[in-house]
């Protein structure tokens, strides 16, 4: 059962409750107010302002994916030790029909939800039905297989209490289908708990069902089976997880995990040094260096499949000019950003497939060239420049990069107004296509090249009513049909080398013509107390598992 933050605190011991109060207290408290975190609790300082909902059927943000990865289970998961493999999570194994279109999963025995009730294939089938019929942002990950509200109960169904079948519309590369099923949206929810909290709704032309499938409650509720239970989420305050005694796998070493909202790198470092948090997750290069030299603290890092980019909304008539799009690619000081703002936490990378994924193209053709940019602007009839806005999440290094770009744009006569906001504000505006320029990050929904290729190069319906809201759609880019067809065609290529070659060709075309300026690939860095044992970062944003972590 979900609790409010205050209810969760009442359930804690007096010492733990005091610690949690300190977690929620402003960082401006004097040093004497800090207290060591409890021995049974992991406290992470983390910029979690992008969380909008913790319902895995709706959540589509990086921070939420980490929370749900530690609190829900899926049929299959990415192998953290080898990202080229998918391994069973709830599933003990699976088979694929001769025609390549039906996947049959066998569940492990004696699975339970955190509630203590059995987890069956009926819950898995309900999870898929719920996602498709709610049709929230991540639903396209399932509907892309030819599944819709009318056929989902036949295409995704329980054929026995321990057997689930999933039938797709084409014989896709099996690695693609399985990788999709590692995404957050495939997190299995408990049907009974969810539907106990469902609200009746009036069907309409946009939504033809008479229930919200528990979505309003699940925005802060929990109905999973992972190693930890979500006890509370309060926006821009904290997420509280508690160990699930009914988890089928390796039991969590600690009783509780708290993600404490902290925006500033310097604040995280100070809290880490004073023992108020165990892990600092958003350190800038200077703070990483300081933590690495501090006794009792350590630093760890992991390359991530997350890329940072700016995008130009094609609804803006100036930004829609091809010469302006190209000019922007010459108005980023990649070398300076790489040497300072992202030193140790990223590397310059200008294509949409991150290193480590099949078909990644390691080419960075653009450099800062103000003279070239001015020529292009003149060709576009904008030799005197223009004024434009950029929505910027007020965290580092994003703000620093935006300010750097503001300076280089000014050299070509473009006046950039930075509009700061928290993660939720900037994402909401971006998803509504009401921005001029957006700067942000994108992590693959699943570890297959199609995840990024589709979102950057396919726009199924460029109208504001479009249902499949890829990044191309968000920026109103009417993608050339041949480019989209090449991306979609790559799904049916089963030869890995040939498929990789297709994605490399797609990226070359994208580099030249797209309204995206990709800047760098993230290296995730965390500072942590040396008291922690087995703390490490995974290869993707949803493989930062906390259940193995203990305290010495």
């Amino acid at each position: 059962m979900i609790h409010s933050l205050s209810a969760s605190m009442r359930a804690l011991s007096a010492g733990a409750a005091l610690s949690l109060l300190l977690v929620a207290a402003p960082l401006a408290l004097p040093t004497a107010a800090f207290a060591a975190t409890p021995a049974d609790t992991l406290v992470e300082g983390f910029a979690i302002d992008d969380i909008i909902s913790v319902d895995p059927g709706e959540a589509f943000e990086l921070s939420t994916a980490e929370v749900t990865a530690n609190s829900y289970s899926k049929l299959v998961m990415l192998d953290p030790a080898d990202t080229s493999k998918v391994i069973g999570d709830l599933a003990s194994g699976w088979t694929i029909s001769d025609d390549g279109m039906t996947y049959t999963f066998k569940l492990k025995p004696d699975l339970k939800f955190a509630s203590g009730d059995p987890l069956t294939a009926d819950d898995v089938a309900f999870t898929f039905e719920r996602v498709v019929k709610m049709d929230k942002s991540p639903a396209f990950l399932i509907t892309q297989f030819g599944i819709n509200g009318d056929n989902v109960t036949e295409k995704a169904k329980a054929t026995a209490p321990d057997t689930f079948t999933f039938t797709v519309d084409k014989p896709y590369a099996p690695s693609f289908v399985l990788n999709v099923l590692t995404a957050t949206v495939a997190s299995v929810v408990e049907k009974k708990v969810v539907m106990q909290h469902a609200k009746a709704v009036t069907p309409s032309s946009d939504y033809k069902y008479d229930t919200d499938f528990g979505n309003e409650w699940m925005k802060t509720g929990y109905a999973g089976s992972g190693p930890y239970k979500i006890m509370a989420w309060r926006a821009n305050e904290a997420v509280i997880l508690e160990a699930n005694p009914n988890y089928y796998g390796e039991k969590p070493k600690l009783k509780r995990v708290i993600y404490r909202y902290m925006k500033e790198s310097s604040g995280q470092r100070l809290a880490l040094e004073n023992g108020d948090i165990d892990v600092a997750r958003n350190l800038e290069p200077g703070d990483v260096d300081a933590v690495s030299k501090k006794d009792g603290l350590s630093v760890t890092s992991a390359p991530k499949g997350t890329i940072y980019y700016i995008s130009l909304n094609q609804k803006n008539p100036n930004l829609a000019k091809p010469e302006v799009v190209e000019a922007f690619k010459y108005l980023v000081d990649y070398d300076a950003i790489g040497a300072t703002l992202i030193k140790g936490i990223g590397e310059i990378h200008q294509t949409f497939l991150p290193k480590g994924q099949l078909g990644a193209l390691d080419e960075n053709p653009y450099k800062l060239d103000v003279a070239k940019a001015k020529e292009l602007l003149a060709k576009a009839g904008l030799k005197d420049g223009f004024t434009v806005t950029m929505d910027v999440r007020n965290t580092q290094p994003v703000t620093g990069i935006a300010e750097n770009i503001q300076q280089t744009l000014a050299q070509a006569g473009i006046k950039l107004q930075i509009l700061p906001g928290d993660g939720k504000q900037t994402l909401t505006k971006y998803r509504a296509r009401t921005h001029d320029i957006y700067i942000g990050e994108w992590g693959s929904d699943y570890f297959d090249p199609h995840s990024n290729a589709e979102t950057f190069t396919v726009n199924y319906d460029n109208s504001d009513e479009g249902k499949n809201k890829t990044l191309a759609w968000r920026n109103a880019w009417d993608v050339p049909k041949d480019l989209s067809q090449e991306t979609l065609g790559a799904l049916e290529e089963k030869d890995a080398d040939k498929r990789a070659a297709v994605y490399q060709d797609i990226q070359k075309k994208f580099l030249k013509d797209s309204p995206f300026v990709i800047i760098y690939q993230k290296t995730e860095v965390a500072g942590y107390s040396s008291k922690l044992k087995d703390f490490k970062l995974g290869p993707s944003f949803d493989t930062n598992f906390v259940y193995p972590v203990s305290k010495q």
Side-chain angles (χ1 to χ4, degrees), residues 42 44-48 50-51 54 59-72 74 184 187 227-228 230 239 241 257-259 279 281-282 304 522 524 526 535-538 540-547:
L42 176 70
E44 299 199 31
F46 202 3
I48 54 172
D50 59 330
I51 297 179
V54 294
F60 210 39
E61 295 76 42
L62 296 180
S63 298
T64 323
E66 177 167 335
V67 171
T68 57
N70 282 289
S71 51
Y72 284 88
K74 293 163 282 194
T184 298
S187 301
Y228 281 94
I230 300 175
V239 176
L241 308 181
V257 175
I258 298 171
Y259 293 101
V279 182
R281 292 289 300 277
N282 303 97
K304 285 289 199 249
K522 181 177 183 179
E524 188 171 18
F535 174 81
K536 61 182 179 180
L537 300 169
S540 62
F541 58 86
D542 55 355
T543 53
N544 293 329
F545 297 121
V546 291
Y547 65 87

Side-chain angles (χ1 to χ4, degrees), residues 85-151:
K85 296 179 180 177
V86 170
I87 59 176
D89 188 358
L90 295 173
S92 60
W94 55 89
T95 58
I96 305 172
S97 61
D98 290 342
D99 65 3
M101 293 170 61
T102 299
Y103 293 70
T104 301
F105 297 88
K106 209 76 168 174
L107 299 184
K108 294 174 179 176
D110 304 320
L111 295 171
K112 292 181 180 180
F113 285 103
S115 66
D117 289 335
L119 187 161
T120 71
D122 188 51
D123 295 290
V124 181
F126 169 75
T127 296
F128 282 70
E129 178 187 2
R130 177 177 185 266
V131 165
V132 170
K133 290 183 175 179
M134 287 198 308
D135 199 24
K136 299 293 183 179
S137 293
F140 77 91
L141 294 171
I142 305 301
T143 60
Q144 67 181 319
F145 295 116
I147 296 176
N148 55 50
D150 295 329
N151 67 20

Side-chain angles (χ1 to χ4, degrees), residues 4 11 41 129 131 223 327 334 351 463 535:
S4 68
T41 301
E129 178 187 2
V131 165
Y334 304 94
T351 54
S463 72
F535 174 81

Side-chain angles (χ1 to χ4, degrees), residues 1 71-73 111-119 188-190 193 222-231 242-248:
M1 180 180 292
S71 51
Y72 284 88
S73 303
L111 295 171
K112 292 181 180 180
F113 285 103
S115 66
D117 289 335
L119 187 161
V188 176
V189 301
E190 184 174 3
V193 171
Y222 175 69
S225 61
Y228 281 94
K229 302 177 288 184
I230 300 175
M231 300 302 293
E242 202 163 88
N244 171 17
N246 292 312
Y247 180 53
Y248 81 86

Side-chain angles (χ1 to χ4, degrees), residues 78-85 179 302-307 347 349 351-363 444 446-450 452 499-500 503-504 507 521-522 539-540:
L78 186 70
D79 184 351
D82 183 352
T83 54
S84 68
K85 296 179 180 177
N179 270 299
K304 285 289 199 249
T306 303
I307 57 174
E347 63 175 306
H349 185 77
T351 54
F352 63 71
L353 283 184
K355 290 182 179 179
Q357 282 195 9
L358 179 72
L361 185 67
D362 191 15
E363 291 185 10
S444 304
Y446 46 90
F447 219 79
D448 183 274
H450 185 69
N452 283 21
R499 193 171 179 226
Y503 286 117
Q504 289 179 350
Q507 287 168 93
Q521 181 174 344
K522 181 177 183 179
S540 62

